[in-house]
Amino acid sequence: MSCIVLTGISGTIGRLLARQLHLDHEVIGLDRRDLPDRPKDIRVYKLDIRRKRCENLFRRHKVDAVIHLNIMHDFRKPQAELHAFNVVGTQRLLEYAARHGVRKFVFLSTANVYGAKPDNPQYLTEEALLLAGEGFSEMRSLVSVDMLVTSFFWKVPEVETVILRPAHILGTAANGPSAYLSLPRIPTVLGFDPMVQVIHESELVRAVVSSVEPGRRGIYNLAGPPAAPLSAMVKYLGKRTLPLPHSLLRALAQRAWQMGVAQVPPPELDFLRFPCLVDDSRARRELGFEPKLSLPQTLDLLRQSPTYRQGMKQG
Amino acid sequence: MNGNLYDDTSSSPHLDEYLTQFEDWFRDWGDKEWENRILSSGAARLNEFGYDPFGMSPAFIRKVIPLVRFLYRGYFRVTTHGLHELPTTRLMFVANHSGQIPLDGALIAAAVAIEGRPPRILRSMVERWVPSLPFVSLFMSRCGQVLGDPDNSRRLLENDEAILVFPEGVRGVSKLFRDRYKLQEFGTGFMRLAVETGTPIIPVGVIGAEETVPALYNFRRLARLLGAPAFPITPTFPWLLGLGLLPYPVKIHLWFGEPMHFSGDPDDEDEVIDQNVEKVRSKVAQLIERGLKERGPFPFSLLGGIRP
């Protein structure tokens, strides 16, 4: 039984993970949001991870592991705030971890940090450069955080650091990919139909739990079931695509973004044109992580989620 | 002369043979058994929705087979020479590149699929600028063509697939008519990959594709402006707009050589690798030379079959 600090516990993945971990470990949550109806044995500190007071948590408890999920993905927030929260917050956490003898640091990054490029190799390994930031300033803080934890992995070998880079996460979380596929009609870029990888949040939880085990360290791509074209997924969900020329779609996205209607910035349209697929063989080999859900099962689970139904209703 | 090597697998169609050719052509259209055989060859790697890891869709290929057959048999009247038993393991075809529009890749792939024993799906490695083109990139990837990245090639070869590379790259496609059949410089990447993965190389000489889109001048500045590798001025392009870029129906001969095997250190010095590259290059050059000689003099050669 070890003591695990879980940042971002109030998020969807955080809650799922806490429910799983508290059976075998002492779980301490750290989040500035509330966590209603939590299991009794989970303590939650309602704090911003940037606050100095967070360090008290590490002084008070003998923390064995930190699972860091508290990353802001909301691109609508101002750049400076995104950067401050994600990069500064992570930097602090890493300092505490190094200072207070934490043995394990698990960070949930994203495969999007590689960026969708026309000349990407079909499957990117963990060694690929993180190029998502070029021409896509909103992604920059996510790339910086990943790099920050990666350099920590090399510089502080005493801490077993695990960085997970999952493909598009689908499930109950109201994140970008789930919300996109929940639209009544799916806008796509005319003449493009990229291969896409999706992974269900439950699989992700399994991967995080397995990476907490002692001895596991490294950077791992998580791919989920085999990739399929976007259009095939849309078809399976029983929906239709709305293909628009890139120039038009981009102009619309630009306008919607400026007006504050759109949740995704225009450069993210590249993910609807070019591949950003990851090779997960290292996770399979070293973490023993085999996705259990097939692609149809993953999409079926998305269909059952409240976000999906709501998205349908909006249309 | 090595008779075995240059045995024609299909005789060149003389005038009186055209009728039977057309009969064959139409019969093959309905050859479901062949389709099933070739399309099931990669079935193990298909996902639940029927796509392979690189986005190839056998269901899509089935739809374009009639078009490819029309181009292969009807339009370009392709004749293959020396295409014999193919190994069923990993394989790399290396060919000369030409014709502004890279149709040579499609025709070689069609030859290997239609006349290869056993028929195989050939994955040609496409130029880096192709994936940014709408429709074209989609069409190519559904047909099984893959971005020419060393990582992609390695992955395919490790899956024991057959790939097609053009080591001349854009230098080959965009050369002018007056430089036809002048083999350009070869890159070394393909050789390192062949050595690393232990892949036999089959050299291919393509005759005829060089005359399909005769570029008289390459408007480099305009090409750069459009982000294209070349902007050819031909007798019909750009005057007839897109239609002018339609390749002329020149008869095409494909000459296949025997498999070549290489071994050594894939990370060796350029000079060492270059020696092997040169062996493949000169083999391709030999195939072209022989093909041109067999084809006979201009202009009947372009029609095919008619010899003075």
Side-chain angles (χ1 to χ4, degrees):
Chain A
M1 177 129 167
S2 49
C3 172
I4 300 176
V5 167
L6 186 56
T7 74
I9 194 169
S10 308
T12 313
I13 310 275
R15 270 178 307 191
L16 289 172
L17 203 56
R19 224 170 287 158
Q20 183 74 43
L21 285 172
H22 87 108
L23 304 173
D24 305 312
H25 306 276
E26 182 192 350
V27 175
I28 300 170
L30 183 58
D31 203 313
R32 53 177 178 176
R33 297 165 293 185
D34 259 329
L35 180 61
D37 49 72
R38 60 172 179 269
K40 293 220 164 42
D41 55 344
I42 296 180
R43 289 185 59 175
V44 176
Y45 287 80
K46 204 177 155 195
L47 281 174
D48 188 317
I49 52 167
R50 286 170 291 179
R51 298 281 296 274
K52 274 275 173 218
R53 272 169 56 203
C54 289
E55 194 168 7
N56 290 341
L57 190 158
F58 288 86
R59 292 199 187 99
R60 223 172 285 160
H61 305 270
K62 173 76 195 79
V63 178
D64 299 297
V66 174
I67 300 176
H68 183 32
L69 310 177
N70 208 2
I71 293 295
M72 209 151 53
H73 289 263
D74 185 359
F75 294 133
R76 289 238 58 98
K77 292 267 165 48
Q79 279 282 319
E81 198 189 332
L82 266 182
H83 181 86
F85 188 81
N86 291 344
V87 181
V88 177
T90 306
Q91 173 89 55
R92 293 269 157 81
L93 266 183
L94 290 170
E95 279 166 22
Y96 306 151
R99 212 177 293 155
H100 296 279
V102 172
R103 293 199 313 259
K104 171 80 80 184
F105 192 96
V106 181
F107 171 60
L108 186 63
S109 181
T110 160
N112 289 353
V113 291
Y114 298 116
K117 307 269 161 199
D119 56 353
N120 266 351
Q122 191 78 359
Y123 291 92
L124 297 151
T125 60
E126 288 83 355
E127 281 70 36
L129 296 173
L130 312 184
L131 298 175
E134 19 172 278
F136 191 172
S137 54
E138 288 83 359
M139 275 295 289
R140 241 170 254 161
S141 83
L142 300 186
V143 173
S144 311
V145 177
D146 188 297
M147 287 175 166
L148 195 63
V149 185
T150 306
S151 70
F152 181 79
F153 165 75
W154 292 110
K155 278 192 287 198
V156 189
E158 308 89 75
V159 183
E160 285 177 5
T161 305
V162 178
I163 298 162
L164 301 173
R165 292 183 186 149
H168 298 298
I169 302 167
L170 292 186
T172 51
N175 63 354
S178 302
Y180 172 69
L181 286 177
S182 302
L183 293 170
R185 195 141 179 222
I186 317 274
T188 57
V189 184
L190 187 68
F192 291 96
D193 188 12
M195 296 285 279
V196 179
Q197 286 168 330
V198 292
I199 183 167
H200 190 256
E201 55 196 18
S202 65
E203 304 267 37
L204 195 61
V205 168
R206 273 201 311 121
V208 175
V209 171
S210 86
S211 62
V212 173
E213 274 174 40
R216 301 192 157 165
R217 58 191 302 155
I219 305 168
Y220 299 101
N221 292 332
L222 301 174
L230 179 59
S231 67
M233 295 189 190
V234 173
K235 199 170 153 205
Y236 182 80
L237 290 169
K239 296 187 181 186
R240 285 198 302 156
T241 55
L242 177 64
L244 297 170
H246 180 248
S247 48
L248 178 66
L249 198 59
R250 200 182 157 95
L252 286 176
Q254 191 82 44
R255 182 57 63 84
W257 177 249
Q258 280 161 358
M259 282 169 31
V261 190
Q263 294 301 309
V264 290
E268 196 151 332
L269 286 180
D270 278 353
F271 285 92
L272 302 182
R273 291 201 291 167
F274 308 128
C276 178
L277 303 176
V278 292
D279 177 350
D280 67 343
S281 48
R282 192 192 283 173
R284 287 169 187 266
R285 204 171 51 238
E286 293 177 16
L287 298 180
F289 179 74
E290 294 277 345
K292 278 187 189 154
L293 296 171
S294 70
L295 186 51
Q297 282 169 333
T298 306
L299 294 171
D300 286 340
L301 285 172
L302 171 70
R303 223 189 308 221
Q304 289 158 18
S305 78
T307 329
Y308 188 82
R309 297 218 196 86
Q310 211 179 346
M312 288 300 282
K313 235 179 276 163
Q314 270 171 12
Chain B
M1 191 209 301
N2 190 342
N4 187 29
L5 178 55
Y6 294 117
D7 256 359
D8 288 9
T9 45
S10 63
S11 59
S12 92
H14 290 274
L15 273 177
D16 53 325
E17 283 177 50
Y18 266 115
L19 274 176
T20 42
Q21 272 282 291
F22 270 92
E23 258 176 43
D24 271 357
W25 175 36
F26 279 108
R27 198 191 54 217
D28 278 353
W29 261 17
D31 193 348
K32 283 282 172 278
E33 193 205 339
W34 169 82
E35 279 184 26
N36 291 335
R37 201 148 57 107
I38 184 148
L39 296 181
S40 63
S41 61
R45 279 181 286 274
L46 297 185
N47 65 14
E48 296 95 335
F49 295 157
Y51 296 86
D52 97 323
F54 285 84
M56 179 178 78
S57 157
F60 187 90
I61 294 182
R62 198 184 284 276
K63 281 186 214 156
V64 299
I65 283 174
L67 173 72
V68 174
R69 269 189 196 287
F70 165 73
L71 286 177
Y72 187 79
R73 292 239 205 269
Y75 199 78
F76 293 114
R77 297 138 11 248
V78 179
T79 304
T80 59
H81 310 259
L83 180 59
H84 297 297
E85 301 282 301
L86 292 174
T88 51
T89 53
R90 54 190 72 173
L91 205 51
M92 188 191 283
F93 289 80
V94 173
N96 58 315
H97 210 6
S98 59
Q100 309 296 328
I101 304 171
L103 274 169
D104 41 1
L107 295 177
I108 297 171
V112 172
I114 295 171
E115 296 178 33
R117 297 287 171 269
R120 292 196 65 169
I121 289 181
L122 189 54
R123 329 263 332 226
S124 53
M125 311 307 291
V126 306
E127 295 302 337
R128 280 197 179 268
W129 70 293
V130 169
S132 56
L133 302 172
F135 299 108
V136 178
S137 61
L138 185 55
F139 181 84
M140 287 191 157
S141 99
R142 291 294 170 270
C143 290
Q145 315 213 39
V146 175
L147 168 73
D149 181 274
D151 214 61
N152 287 346
S153 322
R154 191 176 301 116
R155 219 169 267 276
L156 289 167
L157 292 174
E158 279 167 0
N159 284 341
D160 281 335
E161 302 219 32
I163 68 168
L164 167 63
V165 295
F166 296 102
E168 287 175 280
V170 182
R171 290 185 294 269
V173 215
S174 56
K175 64 178 179 271
L176 299 181
F177 187 64
R178 61 160 190 263
D179 296 325
R180 63 192 181 277
Y181 302 112
K182 270 185 209 155
L183 214 46
Q184 305 294 301
E185 209 178 298
F186 272 26
T188 57
F190 81 96
M191 181 53 71
R192 292 184 192 277
L193 209 61
V195 170
E196 186 190 328
T197 55
T199 308
I201 290 177
I202 295 189
V204 185
V206 183
I207 306 293
E210 314 245 355
E211 286 98 350
T212 53
V213 183
L216 304 175
Y217 179 72
N218 182 5
F219 208 149
R220 284 223 173 74
R221 262 195 212 165
L222 196 54
R224 209 173 304 144
L225 208 66
L226 296 170
F231 189 92
I233 306 295
T234 78
T236 47
F237 184 80
W239 330 124
L240 297 172
L241 301 175
L243 220 58
L245 210 53
L246 211 67
Y248 307 150
V250 178
K251 182 177 170 59
I252 286 177
H253 296 262
L254 301 176
W255 291 78
F256 291 84
E258 294 284 315
M260 303 169 80
H261 298 267
F262 296 94
S263 56
D265 176 10
D267 296 321
D268 221 328
E269 307 270 328
D270 269 351
E271 289 80 52
V272 184
I273 297 287
D274 274 338
Q275 287 172 4
N276 286 339
V277 171
E278 201 41 53
K279 279 182 202 153
V280 178
R281 191 172 174 269
S282 65
K283 194 74 217 176
V284 173
Q286 270 175 40
L287 289 167
I288 291 174
E289 200 184 321
R290 174 166 172 115
L292 285 175
K293 208 191 284 169
E294 294 273 312
R295 189 172 74 158
F298 184 81
F300 304 110
S301 53
L302 303 186
L303 305 172
I306 306 164
R307 300 230 185 117

